[in-house]
Amino acid sequence: MSQKITYDRYSFQVNGQRLFIRSGAMHYFRLPSQALWWDRLCKLKAAGYNTVDLYFCWAYHSPAPGEYDFGGIRDVARLLEMTQELGLSVIARPGPYINAEYTGGGLPGWLLADKTIVPRHRLPNGDFQWCERYHQAVEAWWQQIIPFIRGAQNVLMLQVENEYSTTEMEPEPIASLMTLSRELGVTVPLMHNDMFVMGLYADLIEVYSFDHYPTFAFDEDWRRVPNMLDTADCVEARLRPLCPNRPLMVTELQAGWFAPWQGLPYERIQQMLGRQHIGLLTRTMIAQGLTAFSHYKAVGGTNWEHIGSTETYTSYDFAAPIAESGLNTERLYEAKRLNFLLSSFDLTTTEPTDTPPAGLVLSHPEWLYRCRKVMDSPDPATSAHWLFFRNLGAQSATTQLNGQPLTLLPYEARMIPWQVPLACGYHLLSCTAEPLYQTDRWLVLCADRPFSLTIGTQETVQTTATAKGVAELTLVPIEPTIEATLKPNSTEPMPHAPFQYQLRAPKLAESESAVVTLGQLNILLLGSALSDTLWLETAFKNPLPNDSLSPHPEPAQRIVCGPAMQTLDPKGTFQYAWELQATPFVCLDLETNRMETDLMTAGTALAPVAPIVLSPWTVTDAAPEMVWDGVPFQPVGQKQKPPQHPNDPAAVDFDALGQYEGVGWYRLRFDCEHPCPQHLTVDARHLWSVYLNGQCLASGTHWQNQPDMPGPPPVTVPVPSSAWQTDSVNDLCILVDGLGHPKGFHDDMQKSPGLLVCQVDGRDVRAELLFSGGFHALRLTDGDRADYHPLEHSPVVRCQSTFSYPDLGSLVMPLGIQLKPSTHELAQPLNVHRMNLYLNGVLVGRYWADCQAQTCFYLPEGILDTRPGALNQLDLILINPNNYLPVGAETAKRLQAISIQPYGVFTKQRVPAKLNV
């Protein structure tokens, strides 16, 4: 932490330089490969983000008390090095609670299992109760994680706790963490995240911040939600009195939303959010005077293994600008446009004004949402302003700004400059388009609709106007009045007069571009597709060089100009990747002041990609616990149990057994004499099935999507006498599939998966149960199978296949497991209640027929072996409690509905430029 971070009412300052924080959240723990970290960080940098928001997850690093893992895919030191190499600043958020839809909110399972601990000093009813043992555990975690954060030179601030409040709003939890952070050597400002936008702890914390998710229920379109922006529209009025000398900041600004088990699939959420949401919301916040925002999330991820909470299924794509698979979305292009603008125009010192600037004439003044005056303009003679226009209607709307049309698309916001100084020394006097970018030689604008701009300087300039491109442009010198139509590749002499010209531009086609040169300024106009795929050659110049970092290619080689990028070399070597489809893009070199427009042509120098072939499926019985005496069950009493709540010392839930997450088999073997037991009572979280002597007696769920709802009561199952064996030992087996811990937003994080109640005719038999964790079938050896006589029809079957990642040469191809057939010709579609998908022994997917939101499961690089020819093993555990599946060819035939599909195909070869300017 060698940088000096200060702030005032306008913005943060790094070593005295003002910084508009443009941050995006990335969860490294949902990207199980360092190569994926590097890839996603590169994309954030290329899209104009200057900061990355990083949660550091306690549970991910601490499997047991006093044990910590910071190696490999948990190497946070290497993660922070990567951010420094790319010149990204960091907002560090080490919890202890992170929420993030992580199981237990990121608190370790071993801590949640100890029912004598009060997590977060907050009782289930929301009251405060200081818990010294919890504080000691937090202190031990911070003693481990803070040195990594403290050692990074690019950390801007550190968050203490997250979304914390109680009924009493006591200061002790926040104050204790602030004190601890300073004792551990943290020197950067300390921040807390208020989930209510109500100023919680603003009087205690150094930097107040908040999160804002105006859209989270997708049963109706956000565009039709009344008063959706009411909170955003009063942020400055509500918070400025609480922060008179601090910048306004939003820690989590909605860039998507997570998909719950019974919610809509991400494809639908992506469609409903569309492009407009992130642009409208972010510009509204900037209009409210915020100079620090972080898009949550900017990068999608995967709930591999059991890191997700009870609310979320495997994908944590979040409908983020950068998708779970690494693909860029239209929301990334929208965020990039805004980031590029904020990186080249200074909006760090503005104040709201109710009086429009002098000379501004609007035909529809009510469309002007907000006007902000630039208080720190380099030219005091000008009155620079930014005008914020907003259209919340379902139709496009056009107003007149000083007689020139300004068009807003439906649900669109735009930031319009007024008398804003340019880096070249000229002034952008007015403009009816939002700028994309500027340098001391270039002004870049999107010509996706007609617009005009007026540029001028007080100096007398003898110049000519030249045009290149495909558009005809009208250039009007203000004095004397001469109108010239600039045709492509034409040159028009301009009079010797004060430099003040109005440029009128028509709408350009999506892939059209034009350049007008006035004096020393090049005005680059881009169609909508080129505006989306504008990239900067110097995006990866490192402002924080560090010779001790591991070597990477020279910064000049780390240039990303394409609309989709992959950097999947596990050694960290940067690789280009360009979209295979015909995709135009513009590359602007800020050092040589050169611009290239490239056009990727489908199939250019690229061989077709062969489909991924799965080996024939092998189907075996996966429930040996039900029939095999050799299964190594462990008696509950022999396991080391964490401290239990005194009112239930016989607990056998997963926390009580030290498993915390996943799947478990409970087994009870006993002799039965007349009269046979008549009832069995069971309660288990979250998905359960009960078998007696191989016969399913019942199955059900103890789960609800609303965490504050009461759970279902125990289920009492009548057992017919015919189900019992009076002449041999009876096997009672209970299979429990846990969905994780609640994320604790409602103080329910200590609700453990596993068996809660097990009674035979009212007698509690939990103390007699034996327990085996996981699917033992995944660990069976060939020798085991030789001694095992499988069932012909089983409620749980294992299906195994293999495939190889192809030798793609210059191509990159992220893959997913697709459950639904792509054509109707496939007979016998899958018909299973639940399915767990394992790639190379790692859980990468959970399918539940009652919640069919996800049918395609991403195979993250790192778990997926992408070496050409490398063999990847795919295991599916199919569970049909009531309709047993045949073990053999019939089930294998149904698996024709499963395929390995690419999310996209990209090339790492760059096509030669078509146009140089």
Side-chain angles (χ1 to χ4, degrees), residues 218-295:
F218 286 94
D219 51 352
E220 65 174 313
D221 196 309
W222 63 270
R223 300 165 187 83
R224 295 192 293 270
V225 175
N227 308 317
M228 186 196 78
L229 295 174
D230 279 5
T231 297
D233 287 344
C234 66
V235 161
E236 189 167 23
R238 180 182 296 177
L239 298 182
R240 179 52 76 192
L242 301 174
C243 304
N245 300 308
R246 295 178 285 187
L248 299 181
M249 175 180 177
V250 54
T251 316
E252 298 179 21
L253 184 60
Q254 183 172 26
W257 191 247
F258 67 88
W261 277 106
Q262 291 181 329
L264 295 176
Y266 276 119
E267 294 82 1
R268 182 64 176 144
I269 296 177
Q270 292 162 356
Q271 179 185 12
M272 294 186 74
L273 280 175
R275 177 174 184 143
Q276 303 98 320
H277 184 274
I278 190 172
L280 176 65
L281 185 58
T282 306
R283 288 176 176 84
T284 295
M285 286 296 182
I286 297 170
Q288 290 289 318
L290 276 76
T291 56
F293 67 80
S294 184
H295 284 146

Side-chain angles (χ1 to χ4, degrees), residues 528-651:
S528 58
L530 290 177
S531 298
D532 282 348
T533 55
L534 169 69
W535 305 95
L536 306 177
E537 289 245 5
T538 55
F540 295 103
K541 295 300 182 184
N542 185 358
L544 296 170
N546 187 342
D547 296 335
S548 66
L549 299 177
S550 60
H552 277 291
E554 293 299 318
Q557 298 178 25
R558 293 196 226 122
I559 301 165
V560 177
C561 316
M565 302 153 281
Q566 297 288 324
T567 57
L568 304 178
D569 187 332
K571 295 181 180 179
T573 304
F574 187 87
Q575 297 178 331
Y576 296 110
W578 313 94
E579 277 190 325
L580 178 61
Q581 295 78 12
T583 306
F585 61 89
V586 171
C587 183
L588 187 60
D589 188 330
L590 304 184
E591 290 189 343
T592 64
N593 285 308
R594 292 176 62 83
M595 184 270 291
E596 290 183 353
T597 302
D598 288 12
L599 182 65
M600 291 298 304
T601 304
T604 301
L606 300 176
V609 178
I612 305 297
V613 178
L614 286 168
S615 66
W617 289 96
T618 300
V619 181
T620 56
D621 178 16
E625 290 86 349
M626 294 172 56
V627 296
W628 188 27
D629 288 339
V631 174
F633 273 97
Q634 293 184 0
V636 168
Q638 294 181 9
K639 291 186 71 68
Q640 182 178 0
K641 297 170 60 176
Q644 293 298 296
H645 198 285
N647 64 8
D648 192 10

Side-chain angles (χ1 to χ4, degrees), residues 670-906:
F670 56 90
D671 294 325
C672 179
E673 298 179 355
H674 289 294
C676 299
Q678 298 181 0
H679 296 93
L680 176 70
T681 302
V682 174
D683 187 11
R685 299 190 187 103
H686 295 100
L687 315 174
W688 56 268
S689 306
V690 179
Y691 306 94
L692 178 61
N693 297 321
Q695 176 186 350
C696 183
L697 296 180
S699 62
T701 63
H702 179 145
W703 174 85
Q704 60 277 341
N705 197 29
Q706 298 297 327
D708 52 349
M709 293 175 60
V715 175
T716 298
V717 181
V719 184
S721 299
S722 59
W724 295 101
Q725 299 177 160
T726 58
D727 55 351
S728 61
V729 176
N730 291 270
D731 279 297
L732 176 67
C733 291
I734 304 174
L735 172 62
V736 181
D737 193 354
L739 300 178
H741 284 76
K743 64 183 180 183
F745 198 75
H746 296 267
D747 304 295
D748 55 356
M749 63 181 68
Q750 287 185 297
K751 292 182 178 178
S752 169
L755 185 62
L756 308 179
V757 174
C758 185
Q759 298 175 352
V760 177
D761 275 355
R763 181 173 65 89
D764 189 346
V765 297
R766 288 178 299 166
E768 304 171 36
L769 294 170
L770 305 179
F771 177 79
S772 179
F775 285 114
H776 186 259
L778 294 174
R779 304 189 297 271
L780 286 178
T781 66
D782 292 337
D784 292 331
R785 292 194 183 94
D787 297 332
Y788 170 52
H789 301 287
L791 298 172
E792 294 183 0
H793 289 76
S794 176
V796 186
V797 301
R798 176 193 187 186
C799 309
Q800 186 181 73
S801 181
T802 58
F803 66 94
S804 295
Y805 191 83
D807 187 353
L808 299 175
S810 63
L811 299 183
V812 173
M813 186 167 61
L815 300 177
I817 303 175
Q818 179 68 55
L819 300 187
K820 287 186 176 180
S822 57
T823 64
H824 295 292
E825 287 76 24
L826 288 174
Q828 304 254 354
L830 286 174
N831 181 23
V832 297
H833 185 245
R834 303 201 303 276
M835 181 189 308
N836 284 12
L837 301 91
Y838 296 83
L839 175 65
N840 298 322
V842 178
L843 182 65
V844 295
R846 303 186 67 167
Y847 171 81
W848 183 8
D850 292 345
C851 305
Q852 298 185 46
Q854 184 174 5
T855 57
C856 189
F857 298 84
Y858 174 56
L859 304 178
E861 291 81 0
I863 300 173
L864 175 68
D865 193 335
T866 58
R867 294 174 300 173
L871 201 63
N872 290 275
Q873 180 173 313
L874 184 61
D875 285 285
L876 311 181
I877 299 292
L878 311 184
I879 306 173
N880 259 20
N882 301 308
N883 182 18
Y884 288 13
L885 295 165
V887 179
E890 184 177 343
T891 296
K893 185 178 180 180
R894 297 183 185 182
L895 300 178
Q896 295 178 69
I898 293 179
S899 60
I900 306 294
Q901 297 290 340
Y903 287 87
V905 181
F906 312 94

Side-chain angles (χ1 to χ4, degrees), residues 19-24 48-51 293 338-340 342-343:
L19 178 68
F20 197 119
I21 296 177
R22 310 180 302 276
S23 175
Y49 290 98
N50 58 15
T51 304
F293 67 80
L338 187 56
N339 287 336
F340 280 8
L342 295 172
S343 70

Side-chain angles (χ1 to χ4, degrees), residues 420-428 455-457 461 499 518-521:
V420 171
L422 295 175
C424 64
Y426 303 158
H427 285 82
L428 189 55
I455 279 185
T457 178
V461 177
F499 195 112
L518 291 174
Q520 66 185 38
L521 179 65

